[in-house]
Amino acid sequence: MANPEYIVEMRHITKRFPGIVANDDISLGIKKGEIFALLGENGAGKSTLMSMLFGMYEPDEGEIWVRGRKEVISSPNHATRLNIGMVHQHFKLVSNYTIAENIILGIEPKKMAGLFPVVDIKGTNEKVAALSKQYGLEVDPTAKIENVNVSTQQRVEILKMLYRKAEILIFDEPTAVLTPQEIDFLLQIIRGLRDQGKTIILITHKLEEIKQVADRCAILNRGKLIDVLDVAATSTQTMANLMVGREVDFVVEKSPAHFGPEVLKVEHLTVKNSDGFPVVKDISFSIRAGEIFAIAGVSGNGQTEIADAVTGLLPAAEGSITLDGADITRSSIRERSDLGISAYRSGEEAGLSYIPEDRQAVGLVLDFTLADNLALKNYYKPPFCEKGILNHAAFDSYGEKLIQEYDVRSGQGIHTITRSMSGGNQQKAIIAREIELSSKLMIFVQPTRGLDIGAIENIHRQILAERDKGRAILLISLELDEIMGLADTIGVIFSGEMQKIAPAETLTTNEVGQFMMGVKQA
Amino acid sequence: MMMDTLHTLIVETLPFALPLFIMAIGGIYSERSGVTNLAVEGLQGFGAFMGAFAAVLVVKKFMFFAPDSQMPMYIALLFAFLGGMLFATIHSVLCVKFKANQVISGVVINILATALTGFLTSQLNESIFGAASSQFKLIPSARFSVPLLSQIPILGAFFTNVYPFEVIIIVVALSAWYVLYKTPFGMHLRACGDNPHAVDAAGVDVGRVRFLAVMLSGGLSGLGGICFAYSLSVQFSPSIYMGYGYLAIAALIFGNWQILPTLGSCLIFGFARAAGYNLPLIYDMPVAFKDLFMILPYVVTLLLLVFFSKSNRAPRALGEIYDKGKR
């Protein structure tokens, strides 16, 4: 019997993938006209569960009931016929088509042009404009996808669902790709959709969003349903603990710092962008062993360029960079990360480690296996490479060791193609690789971007552990909380200029914020 | 003298440029759907073989038509189209069904076509027509001039000494344009070449669209091939494999995978070839120069390559095997 209260009911759903139980006997019901959130860490099985509702997979066990009827949803088309729509994390849009053309793809309306039937683009434009207005989506139907930003593309995906008369709308991590302003706009749209009678399912790992919009929230952990909660009556801390499966500290314990000798010294550094415009202007700072030096700033004020100049991805136009007493201003990237390749052989510490901002583009070769990626900084050295021949056994044993030690989870272990891994585990892999280099200097740029709180806490602990081992750490982050929680010394950058460098304990969050905006002068 | 030369060159441009154009449209169909098609050369050859064989068969074996009838030519055009489609199924089965490497499949089809049609021509000539020969002789196509229009200075050249197949190509090209840009099938086809995942998500079968696109590509290439057989040599023989299929691919790349600009580049190639052929004759140059002039279309290709490479944009998913699971 169907429960009349629910528009969607999932009963005892189990789904297995090779080597993993993605969903383990999950039962939940979603009411018509509510915003229902699915909360869980990366890899908890949220997306898998909803993919089954959308007909992309079929459950191994269990039943799905929609509007009081048992359904076997065999394809996304079938789901569409049941008025279920989904906005995927990766948009499925044709880049050289207009917004309207994308919306009608697959269900093109026709009209007669003289003797011949043609696709009715003009009528579509009008319909799409009207729909966009009704839900406050603000899109121009005639704009081409390649010319509009990510936020607009996402709204096109929403329109695609609405055009297909979707009543149950699934959003898979919709805010991962958006800026804070865009997130506000999206949440407002989602609220508007609910107010017009739609049922919303929101997959996310961000607690604040759930607090802001959701009515009820189901919490998943490692494939199991932990609880279904009324959001208004539950604290963020409780949700976080349930999601991670243990007590979560929003503030990480930090031991007193013990500074050693100076490791990195940057003097009068100027970096120019590709247009020859200086984006880092005459900046000087130094980092000692055992010190976390954090650079705070609003995105795009030159902080990533500082990291690129130190790692060698961008040339320094002026100034000098000294690492461990050696001038590396003109050194190649490999020379920098290898500084003392001879030292490496004798087990001593190497040059620098780099955890880049864009883990997919810079940090990993996505189509390589996990084992290959883990050895990416060492593959040319023994034991990975002997006399010019790669030794795969060494790759495998090294990879096995790292995924054990750093708890990197993936479908097929070290032979997993990294593209198929979740963002959190990709980041874990990069951090494992870079920490294992035992570098004197570690550079973290936005190390927790897009990760859930369990993973964030974990990474914060690792950063502090490396500092306590006596490494010098350069942390660049847009998250002020992260900087205030971790840094020993804070440098605030605004418009390419260092506004202030001071010990962390002498600055308040508010002051740092003012320096970041360029309001307060040192 | 100058005007006469220009007139001659224009008259000779179209019989080359239009078959090249329809082959290039074939290539566009395949490549806009996301399937690299280097097989145009082989497809046009096999299409020409099938067309020529059909034409010879109805005339010599079944004696349906008077010796100078033009009807066999139309039968040849039809069968060339069907033959091209048939041969293209090899490419679609390999690339779409078995997800083979599209470049290798294309090259293999070209080699296979040359060998197979050469062999079959000799065998069929001997077994059916009882004469050892490595070619199918065709009945020359009549040419016509449009009254009045052909009298216009210079522009009239476009209406002078026209092959009937030129008219057919223009009609087919217009239909191809209509299908590609104005119908749902065309929309799906072009979308497949940009983001097949979007097409799949919209509930359209990517494999089916690409399969059909490659088959149509073969049909159009075959049509181009038989037209070359009529205009260049009035026969089918292995000399059909002159590399014009590759030239068609060059033309569609310069045309940025769009039909109208591709017509432009085909006309340039056609004009270059006409000039290469006719200038040495008109100006009575030594034979050695003739060969030199014949390389004109290829020199033009190289020059265009320099100018067009930058602004050109291939379909985003071109050559990418569609795999549902991949993000």
Side-chain angles (χ1 to χ4, degrees):
Chain A
M1 258 309 287
N3 185 335
E5 198 187 354
Y6 296 130
I7 185 164
V8 171
E9 226 189 322
M10 305 185 92
R11 295 182 184 173
H12 306 290
I13 300 285
T14 296
K15 178 72 188 174
R16 299 181 194 90
F17 289 115
I20 196 164
V21 182
N23 288 146
D24 188 356
D25 191 23
I26 292 182
S27 298
L28 50 82
I30 296 159
K31 295 176 196 161
K32 183 169 166 35
E34 73 171 340
I35 298 179
F36 186 88
L38 271 179
L39 177 66
E41 291 187 279
N42 293 317
K46 302 163 292 192
S47 298
T48 308
L49 186 65
M50 285 304 119
S51 298
M52 285 187 278
L53 179 57
F54 191 56
M56 290 161 72
Y57 307 121
E58 281 181 42
D60 296 332
E61 289 162 33
E63 297 171 350
I64 298 175
W65 292 63
V66 180
R67 293 186 197 85
R69 280 184 52 190
K70 190 179 157 188
E71 304 278 358
V72 177
I73 306 174
S74 54
S75 69
N77 272 345
H78 188 178
T80 306
R81 283 198 298 277
L82 294 170
N83 303 92
I84 300 172
M86 183 160 179
V87 176
H88 301 270
Q89 257 186 77
H90 302 265
F91 303 147
K92 295 172 190 272
L93 297 170
V94 181
S95 63
N96 59 356
Y97 278 21
T98 68
I99 286 175
E101 284 170 333
N102 265 286
I103 287 170
I104 55 168
L105 190 65
I107 45 166
E108 297 82 359
K110 283 171 221 106
K111 68 170 183 190
M112 297 303 286
L115 283 174
F116 302 100
V118 296
V119 176
D120 184 7
I121 297 293
K122 207 171 151 230
T124 304
N125 285 343
E126 288 161 13
K127 255 176 105 173
V128 169
L131 210 53
S132 162
K133 200 161 168 229
Q134 184 189 345
Y135 293 98
L137 292 170
E138 296 178 18
V139 302
D140 169 13
T142 58
K144 277 196 179 175
I145 292 296
E146 58 200 357
N147 299 331
V148 302
N149 62 19
V150 175
S151 161
T152 310
Q153 292 181 8
Q154 186 174 54
R155 279 176 272 139
V156 175
E157 289 283 7
I158 298 174
L159 271 174
K160 251 164 94 175
M161 298 192 296
L162 295 173
Y163 189 86
R164 286 164 176 73
K165 307 248 182 300
E167 291 296 326
I168 301 162
L169 313 182
I170 308 168
F171 290 84
D172 189 359
E173 304 274 2
T175 57
V177 289
L178 304 181
T179 66
Q181 292 77 14
E182 290 167 345
I183 290 176
D184 286 343
F185 185 36
L186 176 70
L187 295 181
Q188 185 191 324
I189 290 170
I190 288 179
R191 257 183 241 118
L193 287 166
R194 177 198 45 198
D195 295 344
Q196 298 201 32
K198 310 280 184 196
T199 305
I200 314 280
I201 301 172
L202 182 64
I203 303 174
T204 184
H205 59 244
K206 294 192 182 161
L207 297 162
E208 321 87 75
E209 284 160 20
I210 293 184
K211 251 322 198 195
Q212 277 187 51
V213 297
D215 300 308
R216 290 193 308 141
C217 159
I219 296 175
L220 267 62
N221 186 326
R222 300 206 186 189
K224 287 201 172 67
L225 179 68
I226 305 298
D227 207 349
V228 180
L229 302 165
D230 181 19
V231 172
T234 314
S235 75
T236 318
Q237 181 71 46
T238 313
M239 286 196 272
N241 291 350
L242 287 171
M243 165 172 133
V244 182
R246 59 178 160 81
E247 286 284 319
V248 179
D249 299 323
F250 284 111
V251 183
V252 187
E253 279 299 312
K254 195 172 139 195
S255 55
H258 299 286
F259 298 144
E262 187 178 82
V263 174
L264 178 74
K265 188 170 182 178
V266 173
E267 287 175 298
H268 304 292
L269 176 69
T270 296
V271 184
K272 291 179 176 167
N273 65 9
S274 52
D275 301 327
F277 182 78
V279 283
V280 174
K281 300 165 194 159
D282 191 26
I283 277 181
S284 303
F285 62 91
S286 70
I287 310 179
R288 289 160 287 181
E291 177 180 11
I292 297 179
F293 183 96
I295 298 181
V298 178
S299 173
N301 274 286
Q303 55 270 66
T304 44
E305 283 80 3
I306 293 179
D308 286 347
V310 175
T311 53
L313 291 176
L314 276 179
E318 278 164 50
S320 72
I321 303 165
T322 314
L323 177 61
D324 206 14
D327 184 355
I328 57 162
T329 317
R330 302 271 169 266
S331 303
S332 73
I333 295 174
R334 181 169 286 183
E335 281 163 358
R336 293 176 202 224
S337 63
D338 253 13
L339 191 78
I341 177 165
S342 54
Y344 174 87
R345 291 212 175 99
S346 60
E348 282 177 42
E349 298 181 328
L352 64 85
S353 292
Y354 178 40
I355 289 88
E357 179 174 19
D358 189 339
R359 52 180 158 263
Q360 302 206 332
V362 184
L364 295 167
V365 184
L366 286 178
D367 289 316
F368 277 16
T369 63
L370 185 51
D372 289 346
N373 270 296
L374 287 170
L376 216 51
K377 288 253 170 106
N378 305 340
Y379 69 91
Y380 51 92
K381 301 175 196 165
F384 303 103
C385 178
E386 308 265 13
K387 300 190 179 70
I389 296 169
L390 295 178
N391 175 5
H392 287 285
F395 280 75
D396 289 356
S397 60
Y398 184 72
E400 289 289 0
K401 179 179 138 236
L402 259 58
I403 63 173
Q404 288 291 328
E405 263 174 52
Y406 294 87
D407 188 29
V408 183
R409 288 181 219 158
S410 59
Q412 288 126 31
I414 52 167
H415 300 298
T416 314
I417 300 295
T418 44
R419 184 186 295 280
S420 69
M421 291 166 56
S422 68
N425 281 302
Q426 290 178 348
Q427 186 75 338
K428 274 188 190 171
I430 295 173
I431 289 179
R433 178 182 76 207
E434 299 295 330
I435 287 183
E436 279 297 303
L437 290 177
S438 304
S439 305
K440 290 206 163 169
L441 173 69
M442 300 195 72
I443 301 175
F444 290 85
V445 184
Q446 289 271 75
T448 57
R449 191 181 66 156
L451 303 185
D452 54 62
I453 50 169
I456 290 174
E457 190 199 1
N458 202 352
I459 287 172
H460 286 172
R461 281 186 201 289
Q462 277 171 321
I463 293 175
L464 285 171
E466 291 308 305
R467 158 212 189 233
D468 293 341
K469 278 190 222 161
R471 311 203 190 294
I473 293 182
L474 173 59
L475 170 68
I476 293 175
S477 176
L478 304 180
E479 307 287 338
L480 204 43
D481 293 342
E482 184 164 274
I483 286 179
M484 296 311 290
L486 296 176
D488 297 310
T489 310
I490 296 176
V492 190
I493 194 168
F494 173 72
S495 181
E497 289 172 47
M498 201 63 100
Q499 301 289 308
K500 175 85 179 170
I501 296 179
E505 58 272 18
T506 65
L507 290 170
T508 65
T509 309
N510 197 5
E511 280 174 317
V512 175
Q514 285 179 338
F515 282 120
M516 276 166 64
M517 308 303 285
V519 180
K520 188 166 172 168
Q521 300 290 322
Chain B
M1 182 68 186
M2 195 58 209
M3 293 302 274
D4 285 353
T5 308
L6 189 62
H7 191 267
T8 311
L9 293 187
I10 291 176
V11 169
E12 293 309 314
T13 292
L14 291 181
F16 182 78
L18 287 176
L20 193 68
F21 178 45
I22 204 72
M23 276 157 55
I25 292 180
I28 288 176
Y29 260 66
S30 173
E31 302 220 332
R32 283 305 288 267
S33 84
V35 180
T36 306
N37 192 350
L38 295 182
V40 174
E41 176 77 355
L43 295 173
Q44 62 91 24
F46 193 85
F49 161 78
M50 283 294 281
F53 176 57
V56 174
L57 201 64
V58 289
V59 172
K60 287 204 183 143
K61 185 78 182 166
F62 301 131
M63 316 271 182
F64 280 159
F65 303 101
D68 57 347
S69 165
Q70 292 291 305
M71 263 319 278
M73 184 185 74
Y74 295 104
I75 292 172
L77 294 185
L78 177 67
F79 275 83
F81 191 89
L82 295 176
M85 270 173 70
L86 180 75
F87 210 57
T89 47
I90 301 176
H91 197 48
S92 17
V93 168
L94 282 177
C95 297
V96 180
K97 190 124 175 50
F98 294 109
K99 307 191 191 302
N101 182 301
Q102 299 169 359
V103 170
I104 294 176
S105 165
V107 171
V108 166
I109 285 173
N110 289 340
I111 298 170
L112 181 67
T114 318
L116 193 65
T117 55
F119 168 76
L120 286 178
T121 308
S122 306
Q123 290 298 311
L124 291 171
N125 266 323
E126 211 166 306
S127 59
I128 298 180
F129 308 117
S133 167
S134 63
Q135 46 188 249
F136 292 134
K137 282 232 170 302
L138 299 167
I139 299 166
S141 169
R143 299 174 80 165
F144 65 93
S145 296
V146 183
L148 293 178
L149 285 179
S150 57
Q151 303 304 314
I152 305 169
I154 300 184
L155 283 182
F158 287 106
F159 302 98
T160 309
N161 281 346
V162 179
Y163 283 101
F165 70 67
E166 295 178 37
V167 181
I168 292 174
I169 285 178
I170 289 170
V171 172
V172 173
L174 278 173
S175 327
W177 175 86
Y178 162 75
V179 169
L180 191 61
Y181 291 106
K182 294 291 168 191
T183 64
F185 175 72
M187 263 189 85
H188 301 163
L189 192 155
R190 287 179 291 127
C192 279
D194 184 87
N195 186 356
H197 297 276
V199 180
D200 196 26
V204 179
D205 185 342
V206 174
R208 187 176 155 270
V209 171
R210 287 188 167 176
F211 203 98
L212 280 173
V214 173
M215 282 185 69
L216 285 174
S217 173
L220 295 170
S221 301
L223 183 60
I226 192 70
C227 293
F228 272 143
Y230 274 101
S231 70
L232 299 181
S233 53
V234 204
Q235 63 178 18
F236 173 83
S237 73
S239 71
I240 196 91
Y241 301 103
M242 282 279 285
Y244 295 141
Y246 297 111
L247 202 60
I249 295 172
L252 77 90
I253 293 174
F254 299 142
N256 212 357
W257 287 267
Q258 290 167 3
I259 289 182
L260 205 62
T262 298
L263 175 61
S265 53
C266 287
L267 288 173
I268 292 172
F269 284 142
F271 192 78
R273 186 180 179 280
Y277 241 102
N278 291 294
L279 289 182
L281 294 177
I282 295 168
Y283 293 103
D284 206 16
M285 291 180 202
V287 188
F289 279 94
K290 205 185 140 209
D291 290 337
L292 194 63
F293 271 78
M294 284 300 291
I295 66 171
L296 256 179
Y298 308 103
V299 174
V300 171
T301 309
L302 290 174
L303 286 178
L304 288 177
L305 204 57
V306 174
F307 291 112
F308 281 80
S309 314
K310 262 190 198 153
S311 60
N312 262 4
R313 250 190 49 187
R316 273 206 320 160
L318 180 59
E320 225 176 73
I321 291 159
Y322 179 60
D323 182 358
K324 271 192 177 202
K326 201 171 166 181
R327 292 193 270 201

Coordinates of all heavy atoms in Angstrom, one line a residue, chain A residues 10-16 20-29 44-45 48-49 52 59-63 219-228:
Chain A
M10 N 10.7 5.6 -1.5 CA 11.7 4.6 -1.8 C 11.8 3.6 -0.7 O 11.9 4.0 0.5 CB 13.1 5.3 -2.0 CG 13.0 6.4 -3.1 SD 14.6 7.1 -3.5 CE 15.1 6.1 -4.9
R11 N 11.6 2.3 -1.0 CA 11.5 1.3 0.0 C 12.6 0.3 -0.1 O 12.7 -0.4 -1.1 CB 10.2 0.6 -0.1 CG 9.0 1.5 0.1 CD 7.7 0.7 0.0 NE 6.5 1.5 0.2 CZ 5.3 1.1 0.0 NH1 5.1 -0.1 -0.3 NH2 4.3 1.9 0.2
H12 N 13.4 0.2 0.9 CA 14.4 -0.9 1.1 C 15.3 -0.9 -0.2 O 15.6 -2.0 -0.7 CB 13.8 -2.2 1.3 CG 12.9 -2.2 2.5 ND1 13.4 -2.1 3.8 CD2 11.5 -2.3 2.5 CE1 12.3 -2.1 4.6 NE2 11.2 -2.2 3.9
I13 N 15.8 0.2 -0.6 CA 16.6 0.3 -1.8 C 18.0 -0.1 -1.5 O 18.7 0.4 -0.6 CB 16.7 1.7 -2.4 CG1 15.3 2.2 -2.7 CG2 17.6 1.8 -3.6 CD1 14.7 1.7 -4.0
T14 N 18.5 -1.1 -2.3 CA 19.9 -1.5 -2.2 C 20.5 -1.4 -3.6 O 19.9 -1.9 -4.5 CB 20.1 -2.9 -1.6 OG1 19.6 -2.9 -0.3 CG2 21.5 -3.3 -1.6
K15 N 21.7 -0.8 -3.7 CA 22.4 -0.8 -5.0 C 23.9 -1.1 -4.7 O 24.5 -0.4 -3.9 CB 22.3 0.6 -5.6 CG 23.0 0.8 -6.9 CD 22.3 0.0 -8.0 CE 23.2 0.0 -9.3 NZ 22.6 -0.9 -10.3
R16 N 24.4 -2.1 -5.5 CA 25.8 -2.4 -5.3 C 26.6 -2.1 -6.6 O 26.1 -2.3 -7.7 CB 26.0 -3.9 -5.0 CG 25.3 -4.4 -3.8 CD 25.5 -5.8 -3.5 NE 24.5 -6.3 -2.5 CZ 23.3 -6.7 -2.7 NH1 22.9 -6.8 -4.0 NH2 22.5 -7.1 -1.8
I20 N 31.7 -2.1 -3.8 CA 31.1 -1.1 -2.9 C 29.6 -1.3 -2.9 O 29.0 -1.6 -3.9 CB 31.6 0.3 -3.3 CG1 31.3 1.3 -2.2 CG2 30.9 0.7 -4.6 CD1 32.1 2.6 -2.4
V21 N 29.0 -1.1 -1.7 CA 27.6 -1.1 -1.5 C 27.2 0.4 -1.5 O 27.5 1.1 -0.5 CB 27.1 -1.8 -0.3 CG1 25.6 -1.7 -0.2 CG2 27.5 -3.2 -0.3
A22 N 26.7 0.9 -2.6 CA 26.5 2.4 -2.6 C 25.3 2.8 -1.8 O 25.2 3.8 -1.2 CB 26.3 2.8 -4.1
N23 N 24.2 1.9 -1.8 CA 23.0 2.2 -1.0 C 22.7 0.9 -0.3 O 22.6 -0.2 -1.0 CB 21.9 2.6 -1.9 CG 22.0 4.0 -2.5 OD1 21.6 4.3 -3.6 ND2 22.7 4.9 -1.7
D24 N 22.4 1.0 1.0 CA 22.2 -0.2 1.8 C 20.8 -0.1 2.4 O 20.7 0.5 3.4 CB 23.4 -0.4 2.8 CG 23.3 -1.7 3.5 OD1 22.3 -2.5 3.2 OD2 24.2 -2.0 4.3
D25 N 19.8 -0.8 1.8 CA 18.5 -0.8 2.5 C 18.0 0.5 2.9 O 17.7 0.7 4.1 CB 18.6 -1.8 3.7 CG 17.2 -2.2 4.2 OD1 16.2 -2.0 3.4 OD2 17.1 -2.5 5.3
I26 N 17.8 1.4 2.0 CA 17.4 2.8 2.3 C 15.9 2.9 2.0 O 15.4 2.5 1.0 CB 18.2 3.8 1.5 CG1 19.6 3.8 1.9 CG2 17.5 5.2 1.6 CD1 20.5 4.8 1.2
S27 N 15.2 3.4 3.0 CA 13.7 3.7 2.9 C 13.5 5.1 3.3 O 13.8 5.5 4.4 CB 12.9 2.7 3.8 OG 13.1 1.4 3.4
L28 N 12.8 5.9 2.4 CA 12.4 7.2 2.8 C 11.3 7.7 1.9 O 11.0 7.2 0.8 CB 13.6 8.2 2.7 CG 14.5 8.3 1.5 CD1 13.9 9.1 0.4 CD2 15.8 8.9 1.8
G29 N 10.6 8.7 2.4 CA 9.4 9.2 1.7 C 9.6 10.7 1.5 O 10.1 11.4 2.4
A44 N 28.8 9.1 -0.1 CA 27.9 8.5 0.9 C 26.7 7.8 0.2 O 26.0 7.0 0.8 CB 27.4 9.6 1.8
G45 N 26.6 8.0 -1.1 CA 25.5 7.3 -1.9 C 24.3 8.2 -2.2 O 23.3 7.7 -2.7
T48 N 23.8 8.4 -6.1 CA 23.4 7.1 -6.6 C 21.9 6.9 -6.3 O 21.2 6.4 -7.2 CB 24.2 6.0 -5.9 OG1 25.6 6.3 -6.0 CG2 23.9 4.6 -6.5
L49 N 21.5 7.2 -5.1 CA 20.1 7.0 -4.8 C 19.2 7.8 -5.7 O 18.2 7.3 -6.2 CB 19.9 7.5 -3.3 CG 18.5 7.2 -2.7 CD1 18.3 5.7 -2.6 CD2 18.4 7.9 -1.3
M52 N 18.8 6.6 -9.3 CA 17.8 5.5 -9.5 C 16.4 6.1 -9.6 O 15.6 5.6 -10.4 CB 17.9 4.5 -8.3 CG 19.1 3.7 -8.4 SD 19.2 2.4 -7.2 CE 19.8 3.2 -5.8
P59 N 17.7 -0.2 -9.1 CA 18.1 -0.7 -7.9 C 18.2 -2.3 -7.9 O 17.5 -2.9 -8.7 CB 17.0 -0.3 -6.9 CG 15.8 0.0 -7.8 CD 16.3 0.4 -9.1
D60 N 19.2 -2.8 -7.2 CA 19.3 -4.2 -7.1 C 18.2 -4.8 -6.3 O 17.7 -5.9 -6.6 CB 20.7 -4.6 -6.5 CG 21.8 -4.2 -7.3 OD1 21.6 -4.1 -8.6 OD2 22.9 -3.9 -6.8
E61 N 17.8 -4.1 -5.2 CA 16.7 -4.6 -4.4 C 15.9 -3.3 -4.1 O 16.4 -2.2 -4.0 CB 17.2 -5.2 -3.1 CG 17.8 -6.6 -3.3 CD 18.7 -6.9 -2.1 OE1 18.3 -6.5 -1.0 OE2 19.7 -7.6 -2.3
G62 N 14.6 -3.6 -3.7 CA 13.8 -2.5 -3.3 C 12.8 -2.0 -4.3 O 12.9 -2.4 -5.5
E63 N 11.9 -1.1 -3.9 CA 10.8 -0.6 -4.7 C 10.8 1.0 -4.7 O 11.2 1.6 -3.7 CB 9.5 -1.1 -4.2 CG 9.3 -2.6 -4.3 CD 8.1 -3.0 -3.6 OE1 7.4 -2.2 -2.9 OE2 7.7 -4.2 -3.7
I219 N 19.9 12.0 6.2 CA 21.4 12.0 6.3 C 21.9 10.6 6.0 O 21.4 9.6 6.5 CB 21.8 12.4 7.7 CG1 21.4 13.8 8.0 CG2 23.3 12.2 7.9 CD1 21.6 14.3 9.4
L220 N 22.8 10.6 5.0 CA 23.4 9.3 4.6 C 24.8 9.2 5.0 O 25.5 10.2 5.0 CB 23.3 9.2 3.1 CG 22.1 8.4 2.5 CD1 20.8 9.2 2.8 CD2 22.3 8.3 1.0
N221 N 25.3 8.0 5.4 CA 26.7 7.8 5.7 C 27.1 6.5 5.2 O 26.5 5.5 5.6 CB 26.9 8.0 7.2 CG 28.4 7.9 7.6 OD1 29.1 7.2 6.9 ND2 28.8 8.6 8.6
R222 N 28.1 6.4 4.3 CA 28.6 5.2 3.7 C 27.4 4.3 3.3 O 27.4 3.1 3.6 CB 29.4 4.5 4.7 CG 30.6 5.3 5.1 CD 31.8 4.4 5.6 NE 32.9 5.3 6.1 CZ 34.1 4.8 6.4 NH1 34.3 3.5 6.2 NH2 35.0 5.6 6.8
G223 N 26.5 4.9 2.5 CA 25.5 4.1 1.9 C 24.3 3.8 2.8 O 23.3 3.2 2.3
K224 N 24.3 4.1 4.0 CA 23.2 3.8 5.0 C 22.5 5.1 5.3 O 23.1 6.2 5.4 CB 23.7 3.2 6.2 CG 24.2 1.7 6.1 CD 24.2 1.1 7.5 CE 24.5 -0.4 7.4 NZ 25.9 -0.7 6.9
L225 N 21.2 4.9 5.5 CA 20.4 6.1 5.9 C 20.5 6.2 7.4 O 20.2 5.2 8.2 CB 18.9 5.9 5.5 CG 18.0 7.0 6.0 CD1 18.3 8.3 5.2 CD2 16.5 6.6 5.8
I226 N 21.0 7.3 7.9 CA 21.2 7.5 9.3 C 19.9 8.0 10.0 O 19.5 7.5 11.0 CB 22.3 8.5 9.6 CG1 23.6 8.1 8.9 CG2 22.6 8.7 11.1 CD1 24.1 6.7 9.3
D227 N 19.3 9.0 9.4 CA 18.1 9.6 10.0 C 17.4 10.6 9.0 O 18.1 11.0 8.1 CB 18.6 10.4 11.3 CG 17.4 10.5 12.3 OD1 16.3 10.1 11.9 OD2 17.7 10.9 13.4
V228 N 16.2 10.8 9.3 CA 15.5 11.9 8.5 C 15.0 12.9 9.6 O 14.3 12.6 10.5 CB 14.3 11.3 7.8 CG1 13.6 12.5 7.0 CG2 14.7 10.3 6.8

